[in-house]
Amino acid sequence: MSASRVNVPALVITLVIAVVGPLFVASYSLAMGDPSPRDVPVGIVGDAAQAQSIDAALHAGGADTFRTVPFDSSAAAADALAAQQIYAVIEPDPGSLIVSTASGASVARVVEAAQPALSQALGVSLTVSDAHPLATRDPSGLVLFYLALGATILGFVGAIQTRVNAGGMTLRAEVGWDLARSAIVALLMTLVIGPVLGLEQLPVVPVWLVLTATMFVAAMVYSFWRVVIGGKWALLPTWIMFVIVASPSSGGAVAPQLLPPFYEVMGRWLPTGATVRALRDLTYFSDHLVTEPFLVLGGWVVISATAFIVARRRRFGSGPVPAPAPSTTPTGEERRDEVVAAV
């Protein structure tokens, strides 16, 4: 192979990585480097005068950090807190500030930081309590995020390695192995993080199913791009989607209420964010499950699998993908042999 045929692809790869590398760092830095809370919903149980004092204290200096939500009773506020509609509850009588660390440890810290100002405004010393504390071995609430991130990356990496090392599979075999691999790896991840290491008290079967769906989606997205643009470049759009955009916007490391608007919106509708929210609900809020993350993740399963199957059928049919034709360009040694033979 001539030097130009070697150097040109190497140059292209270098330029692509030179663009993707800064994007990777910039995306995480913009999303999580300086989290700024805005419109964090906080419940208030009290009369109108108390609510006005609390609202003034929370909005001191004109900041839009908090958004107050009035409740008629402690029970209604507690139910909203369990449903993750609000992040904290303030009750001047008997003087309590209730947070929900499992909803977002970073947001809980922001709310707790406002306790002195609230106590001064109300003339009552507010006692801080946690209605939904995180697991003892996961005080920062990152284990569920690592589960979602690991399932995502292993999902498309597994698909890559399967296509590279097990070529010639039919469409049914490709989908079947992606699903089987996802189920096996997801089960082992759930068991190790849950019952074996005890990092989280995971409900094994539901978490297993969520992680299986996450891995399968990542595999299908990569497989779709592999069919559409080829194996050489399929990792690039997959990496941009899952690692550069979906991961920092997932709300796993920083609560959605602290993310910039773009990342907050993307995290709601991309599979990694749906996985984080589903895992959090199953682990800490099983009595108040929200259907949205499960519907989003299920939608990605259907859409990604359908897109891959349709693209695969149209381009290669349902049988094995034909092996790429060998290069017909003679090497340098072959050309010299041809010259010698001609002489």
Side-chain angles (χ1 to χ4, degrees):
M1 180 179 291
S2 64
S4 62
R5 293 188 63 195
V6 173
N7 292 331
V8 170
L11 175 61
V12 172
I13 294 296
T14 300
L15 294 176
V16 170
I17 298 299
V19 173
V20 173
L23 282 177
F24 172 78
V25 177
S27 182
Y28 277 75
S29 299
L30 290 172
M32 300 184 290
D34 184 22
S36 301
R38 63 188 185 287
D39 292 331
V40 175
V42 175
I44 301 175
V45 181
D47 57 38
Q50 292 172 326
Q52 186 174 3
S53 298
I54 293 172
D55 190 73
L58 290 176
H59 292 86
D64 293 327
T65 302
F66 300 99
R67 171 170 54 87
T68 56
V69 182
F71 289 93
D72 295 331
S73 66
S74 300
D79 188 66
L81 190 64
Q84 301 181 79
Q85 298 170 354
I86 57 177
Y87 281 90
V89 176
I90 303 170
E91 294 188 66
D93 185 17
S96 62
L97 172 59
I98 307 170
V99 299
S100 176
T101 309
S103 300
S106 50
V107 174
R109 287 192 289 268
V110 172
V111 175
E112 290 175 9
Q115 186 266 347
L118 291 169
S119 295
Q120 183 177 4
L122 292 170
V124 177
S125 179
L126 295 177
T127 302
V128 179
S129 61
D130 195 343
H132 305 98
L134 288 164
T136 305
R137 300 190 64 185
D138 183 26
S140 298
L142 294 175
V143 170
L144 300 181
F145 170 60
Y146 295 150
L147 268 175
L149 180 61
T152 300
I153 293 176
L154 291 173
F156 63 75
V157 168
I160 293 171
Q161 291 302 310
T162 300
R163 286 351 182 247
V164 170
N165 294 285
M169 290 191 297
T170 63
L171 172 59
R172 178 176 294 182
E174 287 190 66
V175 176
W177 276 112
D178 284 340
L179 183 57
R181 185 184 60 254
S182 298
I184 293 170
V185 176
L187 178 60
L188 292 175
M189 290 174 65
T190 303
L191 293 176
V192 169
I193 298 304
V196 176
L197 296 180
L199 298 178
E200 291 280 2
Q201 298 299 313
L202 302 175
V204 172
V205 173
V207 168
W208 169 43
L209 294 176
V210 167
L211 293 179
T212 298
T214 303
M215 293 190 68
F216 185 69
V217 167
M220 289 293 97
V221 169
Y222 167 79
S223 301
F224 168 78
W225 287 117
R226 185 180 177 89
V227 171
V228 172
I229 63 176
K232 289 183 177 180
W233 295 105
L235 178 59
L236 184 59
T238 307
W239 182 269
I240 291 173
M241 172 183 165
F242 286 111
V243 179
I244 294 182
V245 179
S247 178
S249 67
S250 66
V254 175
Q257 226 72 29
L258 275 67
L259 293 172
F262 168 78
Y263 290 94
E264 183 179 1
V265 172
M266 297 304 291
R268 183 175 180 181
W269 301 112
L270 288 178
T272 308
T275 300
V276 169
R277 287 181 290 145
L279 293 177
R280 181 184 296 134
D281 285 3
L282 289 170
T283 305
Y284 291 103
F285 304 97
S286 57
D287 293 336
H288 293 79
L289 291 178
V290 179
T291 58
E292 181 181 285
F294 299 95
L295 292 176
V296 170
L297 190 57
W300 273 99
V301 169
V302 174
I303 293 171
S304 61
T306 301
F308 166 63
I309 292 172
V310 170
R312 171 68 156 76
R313 282 180 178 274
R314 287 187 174 181
R315 184 163 185 182
F316 301 115
S318 299
V321 176
S327 175
T328 58
T329 304
T331 64
E333 291 184 359
E334 290 171 340
R335 284 194 293 268
R336 285 194 297 272
D337 291 343
E338 290 173 357
V339 171
V340 171
V343 172

